[in-house]
Amino acid sequence: MKDGPYSFEIKKPNYIPSQYDNHITRHLSNMAGQYLDQDDFENQLAEGDNLLYEVYELKRPEVAGEILHGISIVHPGKVGQEYYMTKGHYHTVLATAEIYYTLQGQGYMVMETPEGDWSVESLSPGSVLYVPPRWAHRSVNIDPTQDLVMFFAYPGDAGHNYASIETQGFRKLVVEVDGSAAVVDNPRWAPPESR
Ligand code: 6PG
Ligand code: NI
């Protein structure tokens, strides 16, 4: 971690930051229970533990005032009809936002609030997405051939809360229907008042 100002580069073709501190990899086995098609999940896992997504982070102190930043790369693929996606999370400090700038690929950001409001925004090169405070977020790669690559930035004290998403997923799923991406209801999702 640098003490003073710094700059670095994120460039084609692979968009790996010219400097970073952490390289996080998430494989199929890290997504147990996340995909609706459990049978296909098990079948694919029996064939091998595919790499679904990666995050390159620059380390900063995890305090308010700092901005954590890096690159996330979601690879192409599907489990059942559901596209490869990140686990998704709320920030532990709910009142913290996030910004994503898409560098490559095509995808969706699936979002929702603890009250059950939802939103799905499309991601394509050059698009800027603002995720307001209180919105859980999951990125989904809908392009069958190329990586979805995004730069992200969020407050240093935000933290990650995966637990509530792990139990029932997001309200909406992004699935392939007749060769294109569709947003559908998640049958496992239950409204907050019935949990
Ligand atoms: C964050 C960002 C982002 C995210 C990755 C991987 O708050 O850290 O939203 O960097 O961590 O896209 O997604 P998951 O953390 O949900 O696996
Ligand atoms: Ni986040």
Side-chain angles (χ1 to χ4, degrees):
M1 192 174 6
K2 298 252 169 69
D3 276 340
Y6 60 85
S7 57
F8 63 97
E9 291 174 342
I10 299 164
K11 285 186 172 172
K12 291 178 183 174
N14 62 14
Y15 297 100
I16 296 171
S18 57
Q19 66 180 63
Y20 61 88
D21 299 296
N22 299 321
H23 177 208
I24 300 159
T25 56
R26 297 278 183 247
H27 293 79
L28 193 60
S29 59
N30 302 121
M31 296 293 281
Q34 299 295 299
Y35 285 100
L36 195 59
D37 190 336
Q38 287 295 318
D39 291 342
D40 192 45
F41 178 86
E42 295 300 338
N43 291 342
Q44 285 196 34
L45 201 52
E47 299 292 311
D49 198 6
N50 276 354
L51 179 61
L52 272 52
Y53 63 99
E54 305 177 63
V55 180
Y56 292 89
E57 288 179 338
L58 286 96
K59 194 170 174 61
R60 298 301 312 165
E62 295 186 5
V63 296
E66 287 282 349
I67 299 176
L68 300 179
H69 53 287
I71 287 286
S72 89
I73 302 175
V74 186
H75 296 297
K78 283 184 299 173
V79 175
Q81 293 310 113
E82 251 179 301
Y83 297 99
Y84 280 2
M85 60 193 184
T86 60
K87 285 183 92 155
H89 56 265
Y90 284 98
H91 289 159
T92 311
V93 178
L94 259 186
T96 52
E98 184 154 349
I99 281 190
Y100 284 90
Y101 178 63
T102 302
L103 294 159
Q104 180 194 283
Q106 300 292 332
Y108 284 119
M109 190 70 75
V110 178
M111 293 165 282
E112 68 189 42
T113 67
E115 292 76 32
D117 296 325
W118 65 273
S119 175
V120 176
E121 289 285 325
S122 62
L123 306 165
S124 59
S127 70
V128 178
L129 171 68
Y130 183 69
V131 181
R134 299 177 58 78
W135 286 78
H137 39 284
R138 159 182 283 171
S139 36
V140 182
N141 181 357
I142 63 166
D143 188 315
T145 60
Q146 58 174 344
D147 290 342
L148 174 65
V149 183
M150 292 180 292
F151 175 81
F152 62 81
Y154 62 97
D157 61 335
H160 297 95
N161 171 8
Y162 294 99
S164 51
I165 297 299
E166 271 169 358
T167 53
Q168 58 174 6
F170 281 77
R171 182 167 187 168
K172 298 288 172 179
L173 307 178
V174 184
V175 295
E176 189 184 271
V177 178
D178 298 332
S180 39
V183 177
V184 300
D185 286 336
N186 173 7
R188 287 190 313 189
W189 190 85
E193 57 274 17
S194 71
R195 286 177 210 159

